[in-house]
Amino acid sequence: MKFDVLTLFPEMFEPLKKSIIGKAIEKQILELNLINIRDFSKDKHKKVDDTPYGGGAGMVMMPEVVYDAYSSVSNKEQAKVIYLSPQGKILNQKKVEELSKESHLILICGHYEGIDQRVLDEIVDEEISIGDYVLTGGEIPAMVLIDSVSRYVGGVLKQESIKEESHASGLLEYPQYTRPEIFHGEKVPEVLLSGHHENIKKWRKEQSLQITKQKRPDLLEK
Ligand code: 21W
C-alpha cells in the first residue's frame, strides 16, 4: 500500500519509520512518500501562505503550491485523496478497515489556519478528523491514519491478532500477564497456568465483558 503525504513538515513523520511500520516500509509492504509542499513554491522566499481575504488572524496556505504538490504525485490509478481536517468525519475502526482496502492514499496535511478552499474543492475526496480536540496541524492525524490503516495490510503484523482485538470486536481486551508468576506478591490468575484452553477462553471472554462494562459502558450499548 502506498501513502503519499503532502505536508510542510515532512520531518515530523520520522517516528513512523521506526518499529512495526518502519519494518513494513523496509520490506516494501508499505511505501511512504513524503512531499514537501514548500518545494513547490515559485516564490524566491519559498512563501507558501498568505493572509486571509476578509481579514482575521493567522495565515492560509495558498492554492497553487498545494495543487502543484498534488500534481507531482502520480495519480493514474485514481488514489483516494484525503484531507486531514477538524471538520472531517471522525476516524473509527470501521473506516480504518475500509481504507486499508485501497492501494494508494494521498494525504493532505494543513497547517496554520488551513488551506484555500478552492484547491480543496477541486482535489479532495474525503475529509477526516481524528477527534474533537484542536491540534496545530494535520501531520499527527495523518500519522494516526497511516499507523491504524497499515495494521490491516497483509504482512505488516506478525500474528493475525487483528480480528479478536479491541474495537474490532466491539469489546475491550482481557488483561495480559507474563513471567514472573508472582510480582510484588501478586499472583497470575490461576486459570492462565492451568493449560485448560477452553477455560482460558471462557475466562478471557468474561474479563473482556467486565472490563468493558466498567471502563467503556458506551461500547456495550452499541
Ligand atoms: C486547527 C486547522 C484549527 C484549522 C476561521 C476559519 C486535522 C485536526 C487537524 C487546525 C483550525 C484533525 C479558521 C482533530 C485537529 C488539523 C489544525 C481552525 C481556523 N478560522 N483532527 N478557519 N483535530 N488541525 N481553522 O485539529 O489540521 S485532522
Side-chain angles (χ1 to χ4, degrees):
M1 179 165 196
K2 181 176 182 179
F3 298 96
D4 286 311
V5 183
L6 311 188
T7 171
L8 286 175
F9 300 98
E11 327 78 55
M12 284 183 73
F13 291 81
E14 284 304 307
L16 265 187
K17 298 176 184 171
K18 308 282 180 200
S19 183
I20 294 168
I21 306 302
K23 281 271 146 50
I25 294 169
E26 279 173 30
K27 289 200 276 180
Q28 302 187 343
I29 298 163
L30 301 175
E31 189 181 344
L32 178 62
N33 184 27
L34 302 170
I35 297 105
N36 190 342
I37 294 170
R38 196 174 297 280
D39 290 346
F40 295 87
S41 173
K42 289 170 182 148
D43 183 77
K44 63 171 184 277
H45 299 109
K46 295 274 170 213
K47 186 179 162 73
V48 292
D49 56 4
D50 208 336
T51 53
Y53 276 119
M59 299 292 269
V60 176
M61 286 166 71
M62 296 148 81
E64 196 182 11
V65 276
V66 175
Y67 189 79
D68 289 349
Y70 164 76
S71 299
S72 78
V73 309
S74 72
N75 192 7
K76 290 181 207 85
E77 355 93 307
Q78 288 296 292
K80 181 162 277 184
V81 179
I82 296 173
Y83 174 43
L84 286 310
S85 154
Q87 298 182 1
K89 284 248 288 283
I90 296 175
L91 189 65
N92 58 26
Q93 200 63 23
K94 180 167 166 270
K95 189 67 185 179
V96 164
E97 192 164 0
E98 189 185 307
L99 290 174
S100 72
K101 286 162 182 129
E102 302 279 339
S103 59
H104 184 191
L105 296 177
I106 299 175
L107 307 180
I108 304 176
C109 305
H111 225 90
Y112 314 121
E113 292 305 303
I115 301 178
D116 186 288
Q117 190 60 41
R118 293 165 295 181
V119 68
L120 297 175
D121 290 343
E122 186 171 337
I123 68 181
V124 171
D125 296 312
E126 217 171 308
E127 226 173 312
I128 294 179
S129 162
I130 62 161
D132 290 336
Y133 37 80
V134 184
L135 301 169
T136 58
E139 282 78 11
I140 291 170
M143 284 189 267
V144 167
L145 188 150
I146 292 167
D147 191 88
S148 58
V149 167
S150 294
R151 296 178 67 264
Y152 281 94
V153 175
V156 171
L157 293 186
K158 280 204 186 83
Q159 340 139 31
E160 283 309 316
S161 56
I162 297 169
K163 289 230 161 55
E164 54 174 282
E165 190 177 54
S166 170
H167 293 284
S169 75
L171 291 180
L172 299 182
E173 275 171 35
Y174 52 81
Q176 299 272 38
Y177 299 88
T178 187
R179 279 188 281 272
E181 238 181 85
I182 302 171
F183 170 72
H184 290 187
E186 297 294 323
K187 277 207 73 189
V188 170
E190 205 60 51
V191 63
L192 299 179
L193 310 173
S194 70
H196 195 308
H197 297 298
E198 199 71 23
N199 285 355
I200 292 172
K201 216 176 141 185
K202 251 180 64 189
W203 181 84
R204 285 178 165 168
K205 181 86 215 208
E206 187 53 32
Q207 288 289 313
S208 280
L209 255 150
Q210 288 311 317
I211 287 162
T212 308
K213 216 178 283 178
Q214 255 174 45
K215 299 188 181 178
R216 291 292 306 276
D218 58 299
L219 292 180
L220 283 175
E221 273 135 44
K222 284 182 199 165

